[in-house]
Amino acid sequence: MRFRHPDGSTVHLAYCTNVHPAETLDGVLAQLRDHCEPVRRRLGRDRLGIGLWLAKDAAHALVTDPSALRRLRTELDGRGLEVVTLNGFPYEGFGAEEVKYRVYKPDWTDPERLDHTTALARVLAGLLPDDVTEGSISTLPLAWRTAYDERGAEIARTALLTLAQRLDALRELTGRDIRVGLEPEPGCIVETTGDAIAPLTAIGHDRIGICVDTCHLATSFEDPHTAMDSLAQAGVPVVKSQLSAALHAEHPHLLEVREALAAFDEPRFLHQTRTATAAGLRGADDLGEALKGDALPDASPWRAHFHVPLHAAPAAPLTSTLPVLKAALTRLVGGPRPLTRHLEVETYTWQALPAELRPRARSQLADGIAAELTLARDLLTDLGLKELP
């Protein structure tokens, strides 16, 4: 979906396909047929943006076989789909029964992360619509915090500088400007937007910036206005933003609230949980850990890294951090010029919701994704953007 910003530029809205498990090119092509095109039809649009997640095997097939890339491009065009952004965070196995900490491997101290991201950039350059010259990729925020030291930091910095050089060369070769954004996430070396400033300014390249995920922003209790001001003052580019909402519990000391939270403690994904105290941010690596006894102070609200559907906040006594998303979006695209032109709804946890909230059929999932995109579209038009055909 495309929108015209009041400054005349085009803002793209997509939804991320990491909600649909697929590790191979054939699996990706099946996603387009079974999920993405039905969502487009529900929205009544001739064209729908999707943020592709390409696992390592799919990315390898596309970057090594020009005919495979042409096949994917043909399928996208034929189904009324377009791609301007990729999710380069998960490497493989994102549809496995248990993902948890594995999603952070390989990190930016491993050459495989650089190779994979380079492959994604080359693929994206070949997938961009003919009238679009800018693409974006979100990536791991350096590494999970427990396996990182000064040597690792230097290796990661060197890898990102190498990536920047490769992106420069790709621009010269193809005319396509591909940018990569570190995506701050609780528990990682770059947990907040503030954490991103030092490593990104050290790199000092306009093709390496930040991806602002509004669920992660909210989970860490960051104020969107303060975060955007800090990024602007540091000159850190916002490569893309993932529009998402976290799980919010206002009164976590109450038994009924803890019981409601326990329904969201599931075995597939990590749900980092945070609370803001007078002594600073306190956290647990997973929701189940937070719920054990007094592992986490409960005198103030908790937020958990669980991407809840944008249009359907959990029932009381829980809610979502949709207000944080709205505030962030106001700063991202509501000003005289957009801070980013790539927006992506990323609710990959539909099948991890409590059983009574999960879609029971493919059609119900398509309905839910279409409803999320409709809400995002309405937020954009309320900010003065005009939806384009």
Side-chain angles (χ1 to χ4, degrees):
M1 300 169 76
R2 299 187 184 191
F3 297 81
R4 181 73 68 206
H5 189 273
D7 77 342
S9 63
T10 300
V11 172
H12 295 265
L13 173 66
Y15 90 88
C16 186
T17 64
N18 62 353
V19 64
H20 313 305
E23 299 284 320
T24 65
L25 177 56
D26 285 343
V28 171
L29 295 172
Q31 287 178 350
L32 306 184
R33 178 194 67 226
D34 296 339
H35 299 287
C36 302
E37 186 176 8
V39 170
R40 178 184 65 77
R41 293 185 181 280
R42 279 163 171 76
L43 292 166
R45 307 293 302 163
D46 293 332
R47 174 174 53 191
L48 175 66
I50 57 171
L52 275 181
W53 171 58
L54 299 173
K56 68 159 188 171
D57 289 344
H60 179 75
L62 290 165
V63 82
T64 56
D65 183 355
S67 66
L69 188 61
R70 288 194 298 270
R71 181 185 175 199
L72 176 56
R73 177 68 184 267
T74 299
E75 282 290 312
L76 289 166
D77 293 342
R79 298 189 184 281
L81 306 169
E82 67 177 13
V83 175
V84 303
T85 189
L86 299 180
N87 186 332
F89 195 136
Y91 178 70
E92 63 181 340
F94 200 61
E97 291 185 5
E98 182 178 335
V99 179
K100 298 289 184 181
Y101 293 94
R102 290 193 299 154
V103 76
Y104 306 108
K105 293 292 185 178
D107 61 31
W108 276 100
T109 67
D110 187 330
E112 189 58 39
R113 175 61 65 171
L114 172 61
D115 292 344
H116 177 60
T117 309
T118 301
L120 292 178
R122 291 172 177 163
V123 168
L124 182 55
L127 292 180
L128 289 178
D130 293 339
D131 61 344
V132 175
T133 60
E134 295 183 1
S136 63
I137 302 171
S138 49
T139 189
L140 179 79
L142 299 183
W144 184 254
R145 69 181 188 277
T146 55
Y148 202 72
D149 53 21
E150 289 185 9
R151 181 174 179 274
E154 182 56 31
I155 292 172
R157 178 176 175 274
T158 300
L160 287 167
L161 284 170
T162 301
L163 176 65
Q165 294 168 356
R166 292 178 180 179
L167 296 177
D168 287 344
L170 189 63
R171 174 69 174 83
E172 290 295 319
L173 180 65
T174 67
R176 304 301 178 90
D177 189 6
I178 308 300
R179 299 194 298 165
V180 174
L182 302 184
E183 180 186 330
E185 176 164 310
C188 293
I189 292 299
V190 175
E191 172 158 342
T192 66
T193 56
D195 294 336
I197 290 174
L200 289 176
T201 53
I203 294 166
H205 198 291
D206 62 2
R207 290 195 172 92
I208 309 294
I210 192 170
C211 168
V212 176
D213 184 300
T214 58
C215 170
H216 303 171
L217 189 82
T219 301
S220 294
F221 286 86
E222 288 196 78
D223 174 71
H225 300 288
T226 302
M228 300 307 158
D229 286 345
S230 297
L231 293 173
Q233 290 167 6
V236 173
V238 182
V239 170
K240 66 185 279 190
S241 179
Q242 289 172 327
L243 308 183
S244 51
L247 191 63
H248 180 95
E250 187 68 18
H251 302 293
H253 65 284
L254 297 177
L255 178 60
E256 60 266 33
V257 174
R258 286 178 171 257
E259 289 176 345
L261 283 170
F264 286 84
D265 178 29
E266 53 82 36
R268 179 178 295 181
F269 300 113
L270 207 60
H271 300 297
Q272 302 93 314
T273 305
R274 299 289 185 266
T275 184
T277 73
L281 202 65
R282 294 282 302 277
D285 280 356
D286 211 349
L287 182 56
E289 177 186 332
L291 290 169
K292 290 179 182 176
D294 58 357
L296 199 60
D298 60 8
S300 55
W302 287 5
R303 288 176 179 173
H305 172 215
F306 194 116
H307 290 229
V308 296
L310 301 187
H311 67 292
L318 304 178
T319 187
S320 82
T321 60
L322 186 62
V324 177
L325 184 160
K326 292 179 178 179
L329 197 58
T330 298
R331 290 300 303 275
L332 288 166
V333 299
R337 64 177 184 84
L339 300 183
T340 184
R341 289 185 290 273
H342 291 178
L343 306 173
E344 178 183 57
V345 171
E346 195 210 15
T347 307
Y348 60 84
T349 44
W350 274 96
Q351 298 298 347
L353 289 167
E356 67 275 11
L357 301 178
R358 292 176 202 162
R360 293 183 299 277
R362 187 183 296 166
S363 60
Q364 290 180 319
L365 178 58
D367 289 342
I369 293 169
E372 289 194 284
L373 285 166
T374 297
L375 183 146
R377 178 196 65 194
D378 291 346
L379 292 178
L380 292 175
T381 55
D382 287 346
L383 290 171
L385 282 72
K386 180 181 178 182
E387 187 176 7
L388 298 175

